[in-house]
Amino acid sequence: MKAYVFPGQGAQFTGMGKDLYENSALAKELFEKANEILGFRITDIMFEGTAEELKETKVTQPAVFLHSVILAKTLEDFKPEMVAGHSLGEFSALVANGTLSFEDGLKLVSQRALAMQKACEITPSTMAAVLGLADNVVEEVCASIDGVVVAANYNCPGQLVISGETTAVEKACEAMKAAGAKRALILPVGGAFHSPMMEPAREELAAAIESTTFSTPICPVYQNVTANAVSDANEIKKNLIIQLTAPVKWTQSVQQMIADGATLFTEVGPGKVLTGLINKIDKEAVTANA
């Protein structure tokens, strides 16, 4: 079975999507429609902007989404049998499997980025990568720290990201090293994504998601929150609302997709982060990049 996966924030690079814009009439039309919807020329930043400009949350999230979705729409023989996306990538996956329209997906991603940005400004918060510890050890260390710090991204065995209040994350990093972590490294991010610190953003996004039409998809999406195949539009909607404050179960999603018959994983979008993680989750997995 053909599985298509879509990357999240952090995969962006200057020049992303430029070749699509120049070589495909459909891509050009969709990029211009995106400029119109967003109210600024995101294509100028994507194609010619600096790394700093691209790193702004209000730009990064729509940029990665646009690259993924437009690339998927220009692929020949794009017939997904299952899809999944990492964090932000779940929105790309939901356009790819027909749950969301291109326009609605972009509007939600833009609203999500702005809501997250606002939530980041309320309390100093951050994320950190923890390498070389078992999942349960990371969870136990987080639980032992005063303040808010939780496991946020289960990326692959031995690679987790924790998220929460800055002081709590710093304390957790020291405790992780003491527990035998190879590395515990604060990440250059704007805030504590996929943690309780995102509650204000979740409430804001929930209203936007509730008022958006979700259609029955052409194939199941393996959602970050459950790591299971979901085809019911209402259930997809519910899980998407929970996603902002819940961990990204990427390891578990990939394992479930393999158990359900995935034979080829194709990453659609900028970078090759997900194919790298999939190969670490299962060394036998066959991966490709669109």
Side-chain angles (χ1 to χ4, degrees), residues 250-262:
W250 188 251
T251 301
Q252 300 88 327
S253 298
V254 172
Q255 288 167 337
Q256 191 58 52
M257 291 166 95
I258 292 167
D260 291 349

Side-chain angles (χ1 to χ4, degrees), residues 58-266:
K58 73 163 190 171
V59 174
T60 314
Q61 295 196 23
V64 172
F65 167 87
L66 287 169
H67 187 279
S68 292
V69 168
I70 293 172
L71 177 57
K73 285 186 180 292
T74 57
L75 290 176
E76 279 177 40
D77 195 35
F78 180 71
K79 294 189 181 76
E81 292 168 282
M82 43 174 82
V83 295
H86 191 288
S87 187
L88 158 74
E90 190 158 286
F91 288 82
S92 310
L94 291 174
V95 174
N97 78 351
T99 306
L100 287 170
S101 70
F102 171 77
E103 294 84 352
D104 284 342
L106 178 57
K107 284 174 193 165
L108 286 178
V109 165
S110 178
Q111 285 169 298
R112 179 183 192 265
L114 295 171
M116 287 171 82
Q117 188 68 49
K118 271 194 273 180
C120 291
E121 287 158 10
I122 296 168
T123 310
S125 59
T126 192
M127 302 176 83
V130 180
L131 304 182
L133 280 184
D135 293 358
N136 64 317
V137 177
V138 174
E139 291 161 359
E140 283 161 20
V141 171
C142 285
S144 74
I145 303 290
D146 284 338
V148 178
V149 56
V150 295
N153 295 354
Y154 294 80
N155 284 335
C156 67
Q159 186 190 321
L160 260 77
V161 174
I162 60 173
S163 181
E165 293 167 327
T166 303
T167 48
V169 172
E170 287 166 353
K171 278 185 211 156
C173 283
E174 294 312 310
M176 298 289 175
K177 289 175 198 164
K182 284 181 196 159
R183 295 178 76 184
L185 190 72
I186 301 282
L187 296 172
V189 293
F193 306 143
H194 301 288
S195 84
M197 311 301 290
M198 285 291 119
E199 183 57 32
R202 189 195 66 80
E203 287 172 13
E204 196 173 316
L205 192 64
I209 288 173
E210 289 293 3
S211 62
T212 300
T213 302
F214 279 56
S215 305
T216 302
I218 57 166
C219 71
V221 58
Y222 287 70
Q223 289 188 279
N224 293 175
V225 171
T226 62
N228 292 323
V230 187
S231 296
D232 178 77
N234 288 323
E235 198 182 332
I236 291 171
K237 192 180 265 199
K238 189 186 77 189
N239 290 335
L240 202 58
I241 292 169
I242 302 167
Q243 195 220 58
L244 269 186
T245 51
V248 174
K249 295 180 178 174
W250 188 251
T251 301
Q252 300 88 327
S253 298
V254 172
Q255 288 167 337
Q256 191 58 52
M257 291 166 95
I258 292 167
D260 291 349
T263 49
L264 171 65
F265 288 90
T266 303

Side-chain angles (χ1 to χ4, degrees), residues 5-9 11 64 68 85-86 88-90 92 267-271 273-274:
V5 294
F6 300 84
Q9 200 163 337
V64 172
S68 292
H86 191 288
L88 158 74
E90 190 158 286
S92 310
E267 182 169 4
V268 186
V273 172
L274 298 183

